[in-house]
Amino acid sequence: MASVEHCLYCFETLAVELEDRKPMTLDQIKKSWAEYISSTATTTTENPEAVKQSPALRRLAASSSSSSSSSSSSSSSSSSSSSSLSLSPSTPATSLSSSPAPPDSDSPPITSSPLFVTWNTHHPRHGPILRGCIGTFEPQPLSTGLASYALISALQDSRFHPISLSELPKLQVAVTLLTDFEDADDKLDWELGKHGIRISFFDHRGRRYGATYLPDVATEQGWTKEETLVSLMRKAGWVGKREGWGEMELRVVRYQGRKEKLEYDEYRKWREWVEGSKE
């Protein structure tokens, strides 16, 4: 699944690009984050309120608690008794936020994956507003792919003007690693909230259309499957009559996403700790 370190890396990449300084590598960030968590754990033992102020630390504490409860439950219970797809390299998507999937301690570390990077900005009345989202369905080494798409989604999403340095404090980043690609049996063979979908179709002139929505988009918008498909067709550029959507032959590929998100304030606190540890 995507991790806090992946999100930190995206923030670091964008900040470095806008501030013109030397970036940390993903491996350096992973090591630094582990040290930061260790040092923060000592502080939060003395001051539990610090955990409440950091969503990332709350999720970490919750994961530890969940793993502990799961192990305890498992122990108690014991005592008592795809398809191969050809996908385009770079695709914009719309996504705001979602809860991360539970960590799987038995899974090996992910080093390469299809991925999307989403930037949101906070509006005082409307909450998170999409600011940029682009990714790829081709597996990427995370050490380079995350950095590339952090910048592409922030600076090259044609739906928005490039993110500026002054916007950094208002940003939230979300990283989604894509898994479990499958050809759907039909246009409705997918689950709201579970699957992202990628559609492709042709109009009567033979023009090809295609677009994707990440797994959380439909539920965040409160859409039905039909509304999701129509919206996605519009996003792809289809201008036919709404009632005619069902007559179109859609190829639907469904997939799942493992997402993590991070606020700029959390990145800033970690970054300040990094700078302080150098002194």
Side-chain angles (χ1 to χ4, degrees):
M1 65 174 287
S3 67
V4 171
E5 295 97 316
H6 295 150
C7 295
L8 289 171
Y9 188 39
C10 290
F11 258 124
E12 177 73 357
T13 301
L14 179 58
V16 163
E17 178 72 14
L18 299 176
E19 297 172 356
D20 191 24
R21 59 178 172 83
K22 186 177 180 179
M24 296 176 67
T25 66
L26 180 56
D27 285 341
Q28 289 173 332
I29 287 176
K30 288 179 178 179
K31 180 180 178 181
S32 174
W33 178 250
E35 294 171 351
Y36 173 71
I37 289 298
S38 178
S39 68
T40 305
T42 302
T43 302
T44 55
T45 299
E46 302 169 356
N47 179 22
E49 288 298 314
V51 174
K52 298 179 182 179
Q53 298 171 8
S54 172
L57 293 178
R58 286 203 303 270
R59 290 196 293 273
L60 189 67
S63 295
S64 298
S65 175
S66 175
S67 297
S68 176
S69 297
S70 176
S71 297
S72 175
S73 174
S74 176
S75 175
S76 174
S77 177
S78 297
S79 62
S80 60
S81 53
S82 112
S83 301
S84 178
L85 304 174
S86 176
L87 301 168
S88 62
S90 182
T91 307
T94 301
S95 178
L96 295 181
S97 64
S98 75
S99 300
D104 184 353
S105 59
D106 295 329
S107 298
I110 297 174
T111 59
S112 178
S113 176
L115 60 91
F116 273 77
V117 177
T118 303
W119 295 101
N120 303 313
T121 187
H122 289 285
H123 189 281
R125 286 181 298 176
H126 304 298
I129 302 295
L130 183 66
R131 191 62 183 79
C133 182
I134 294 180
T136 175
F137 289 92
E138 295 293 337
Q140 301 289 307
L142 298 186
S143 58
T144 55
L146 284 174
S148 294
Y149 282 93
L151 295 180
I152 292 171
S153 59
L155 307 176
Q156 299 179 30
D157 191 326
S158 60
R159 298 170 293 179
F160 309 96
H161 61 268
I163 290 175
S164 64
L165 179 60
S166 63
E167 293 180 84
L168 271 178
K170 301 178 182 178
L171 291 179
Q172 174 199 79
V173 69
V175 174
T176 308
L177 303 185
L178 310 183
T179 66
D180 302 305
F181 288 90
E182 302 173 302
D183 284 314
D185 291 337
D186 56 62
K187 64 185 69 175
L188 297 177
D189 182 29
W190 51 279
E191 294 183 34
L192 288 166
K194 177 180 180 181
H195 294 115
I197 55 172
R198 183 171 186 259
I199 65 169
S200 58
F201 59 100
F202 294 87
D203 64 12
H204 65 283
R205 297 177 181 175
R207 177 185 174 187
R208 184 183 183 278
Y209 296 82
T212 190
Y213 276 149
L214 296 178
D216 53 345
V217 173
T219 50
E220 284 182 348
Q221 299 301 319
W223 290 334
T224 63
K225 287 187 177 182
E226 177 180 330
E227 291 170 334
T228 302
L229 288 168
V230 172
S231 175
L232 195 50
M233 292 170 70
R234 295 296 191 208
K235 179 184 176 185
W238 182 68
V239 294
K241 293 183 179 180
R242 178 186 174 88
E243 57 269 23
W245 80 274
E247 300 174 4
M248 305 295 292
E249 293 187 10
L250 303 183
R251 182 199 175 199
V252 178
V253 175
R254 66 188 188 189
Y255 58 87
Q256 298 181 46
R258 303 290 183 259
K259 177 179 255 186
E260 182 62 279
K261 60 185 178 180
L262 191 76
E263 307 293 334
Y264 175 80
D265 281 349
E266 295 183 80
Y267 164 75
R268 177 182 55 80
K269 290 175 184 176
W270 165 77
R271 187 69 212 182
E272 289 174 349
W273 177 88
V274 170
E275 293 300 325
S277 65
K278 294 179 181 179
E279 299 174 357

